[in-house]
Amino acid sequence: MVRHALGVRNASVWSVTMIRSLAYSWGLYPSAQAEMPMGPTVAVTWSAADLPSEVAAAFVSEGIGGLAGTFGDETLGEPVEIDDLDVQMDTGRVRVRVYNRGIGLMRGMGPELVQLHRFFSTIHAATSGGPGPGPT
């Protein structure tokens, strides 16, 4: 099994952290509580051996390990845009949920949302074989 060592560029706690698996999903939902999306979705789960190097590098460069929690506002749009991220690491788990990322970016809801957007764009690009929505 190949695991992706994080923090090669930065000497930090992440230099000893290894990603075991990464699961990500994105979709548009009629409400934040809905279980089924109403449009196209992106859903991917990578084990350590399959994780694209650009995704592992973006995890480090965007500081995603320190951004666990919920971001955005589920009341700002209809349908509701939801990004879900679950990363299993040797040192624990990072879970992130973002509501209405696009609207939040337009409203300037903080640097964390920009970091998450760039990371999610890297995932979208890795799953589609092309560029994602682009950096902000």
Side-chain angles (χ1 to χ4, degrees), residues 82-93:
I82 301 176
D83 293 276
D84 274 312
L85 177 68
D86 187 356
V87 182
Q88 298 286 332
M89 299 177 297
D90 286 347
T91 58
R93 183 179 200 178

Side-chain angles (χ1 to χ4, degrees), residues 4 16 20 22 25 27 31 45 51 62-63 75 80-81 84 107 113 135:
H4 291 272
V16 296
R20 292 182 180 180
L22 183 146
S25 65
S31 73
T45 300
L51 186 67
E62 296 300 339
T75 66
V80 179
E81 176 188 25
D84 274 312
R107 290 188 169 203
L113 202 53

